[in-house]
Amino acid sequence: MKHGNPFRFGDLALDDAFTNRVGEIDELCSDLRNGQNVALIAPRRYGKTSLLRRVEQTLVREGVLVAGVDLMKTPTKERLAGKLARAIHDEIASPLFRAKERLRLFSSLRVTPTVTVDPRDGTPSFTFTPTHRREDMDATLEHLFELPAQLAAERDRSVVLVFDEFQEITEIDPKLPHLLRAVFQEQPHVAHVYAGSRRDMMRRLFTDENEPFFRSAKVMELDVIEPALFAEFVEERFAATDRGLADGVSARLVAITRGHPYGTQELAYALWELVPEGFTASHSDLDEAVESVVRSENAHFTLAWSGASRVQRLVLQALAAEPGSVYGGGYRLRHDLPAASTVQRAVERLVADELVERRRDGGFDLAEPFLREWVLRFGS
């Protein structure tokens, strides 16, 4: 039997490709069963959306109604309303009502949507055209935000509403967080998940006392996967496809990626491709796999490098050689960095561009594992 590559990166990692996160799944499921709002914060490529999908599958099997909207796909209030109406219809109303009754739920909206039914499967889409007064659209969104709680209370069902890339809410309309907070604080029957990848923005939204969502949700930060668990996962997936790993290869692989979910899956994918069925991956194979991944990421990193200022490049070179506190006098002296204030401006920009991340100890590191390999090879 010929096996396909068991590792996944880029798309959602589902089923056997999903890696561990047992503790996070249990914690999230328990919180949401209890009606606890959760702010889930995770950098890009940490598997946040895959984790949410696994949690949703678990809860749905238990009879919980789960609906979600990706705010990255809703740049306007009209698009947000359309996606939210579709999610409520498909995931909350469908298990509770017949088709005509489901559509009737949206008939009392201040702005009436255009409903288009897909002839292939009969699923409706909701479109709100921007030809109305602002206050009418706000009232429509308010009604849609209230609807899941109403249905939950009427049918005595638990409901979870998930907003992915929640930090985008202020880009849609700076006033929306105030509207959401006013509505959601009156919804004991609905647990809300606010998931976001911009850590600084998400932390500010939920921990700054001047923000409307201050202390409105339990903050849960997704970390890298524990290296020993990830190494075990890599070994299991190789073994399941009749391939082996030489002693120390799996440990070295996760040491290179530092447990980064996307990076580890990407490197394991590249290594698996080099090893024929029935053979064992060696350390030299791992070296070749690293070179392959760095080459595949070259265009992405070259674009980021070309857009960086001189000081930003100096910071990237320094962090590639030595992660740590870039503002310290000794660190700046070792790496020929300019004044702390100049370095701070560069770091803030790099963090915003998701090239650098702030560590728990207050220091900094490169956000992507292969960026270090690329900078050491080409960024000098």
Side-chain angles (χ1 to χ4, degrees), residues 6-22:
F7 301 100
R8 295 287 182 272
F9 64 96
D11 297 324
L12 291 178
L14 303 175
D15 303 322
D16 289 342
F18 185 80
T19 319
N20 295 297
R21 298 291 192 197
V22 175

Side-chain angles (χ1 to χ4, degrees), residues 7 20 36 46 63 65 116 211 220 244 253 287 291 359:
F7 301 100
N20 295 297
Q36 174 65 53
Y46 265 49
L65 303 176
T116 305
E211 295 291 336
M220 178 178 175
L253 187 152
D287 292 335
E291 292 294 334
R359 303 188 312 192

Side-chain angles (χ1 to χ4, degrees), residues 286-300:
L286 180 57
D287 292 335
E288 186 176 345
V290 171
E291 292 294 334
S292 174
V293 172
V294 172
R295 286 195 303 271
S296 70
E297 295 281 4
N298 182 63
H300 166 58

Side-chain angles (χ1 to χ4, degrees), residues 87-258:
I88 293 170
H89 176 277
D90 291 356
E91 309 301 336
I92 298 178
S94 289
L96 303 178
F97 303 97
R98 292 190 294 269
K100 288 185 178 179
E101 294 174 317
R102 294 198 297 267
L103 291 176
R104 197 174 298 125
L105 294 171
F106 304 95
S107 62
S108 59
L109 295 174
R110 181 84 66 88
V111 177
T112 304
T114 300
V115 181
T116 305
V117 178
D118 190 326
R120 295 170 297 181
D121 56 14
T123 57
S125 297
F126 299 80
T127 304
F128 294 83
T129 56
T131 56
H132 44 70
R133 296 183 305 167
R134 175 185 179 130
E135 53 266 34
D136 290 338
M137 194 67 243
D138 289 344
T140 298
L141 275 172
E142 183 174 358
H143 190 147
L144 287 171
F145 292 141
E146 293 170 343
L147 195 52
Q150 293 174 5
L151 299 179
E154 289 172 5
R155 296 304 178 101
D156 193 25
R157 296 287 294 272
S158 296
V159 171
V160 174
L161 194 57
V162 179
F163 294 95
D164 204 358
E165 300 301 343
F166 184 72
Q167 73 277 343
E168 299 299 316
I169 194 72
T170 57
E171 294 295 322
I172 300 171
D173 187 335
K175 295 182 179 179
L176 266 181
H178 295 272
L179 174 60
L180 264 68
R181 179 68 177 126
V183 173
F184 290 169
Q185 65 185 356
E186 304 290 336
Q187 297 187 351
H189 294 283
V190 180
H192 303 91
V193 179
Y194 312 102
S197 58
R198 296 293 183 93
R199 285 193 287 192
D200 286 355
M201 292 178 64
M202 287 291 292
R203 286 171 183 148
R204 177 175 55 79
L205 284 170
F206 291 94
T207 63
D208 187 330
E209 63 182 6
N210 296 313
E211 295 291 336
F213 276 90
F214 175 61
R215 289 189 174 178
S216 66
K218 171 184 174 180
V219 176
M220 178 178 175
E221 296 206 35
L222 204 60
D223 206 346
V224 296
I225 294 174
E226 202 277 317
L229 293 176
F230 223 155
E232 182 179 338
F233 169 80
V234 172
E235 292 167 4
E236 290 173 350
R237 301 313 299 148
F238 265 77
T241 52
D242 295 328
R243 288 159 176 81
L245 293 163
D247 289 345
V249 168
S250 62
R252 185 170 157 235
L253 187 152
V254 297
I256 291 170
T257 64
R258 308 191 312 281

Side-chain angles (χ1 to χ4, degrees), residues 265-285:
Q265 292 264 11
E266 184 178 18
L267 183 53
Y269 182 100
L271 179 60
W272 190 95
E273 288 292 314
L274 295 173
V275 184
E277 189 170 349
F279 285 75
T280 295
S282 66
H283 284 273
S284 61
D285 291 325

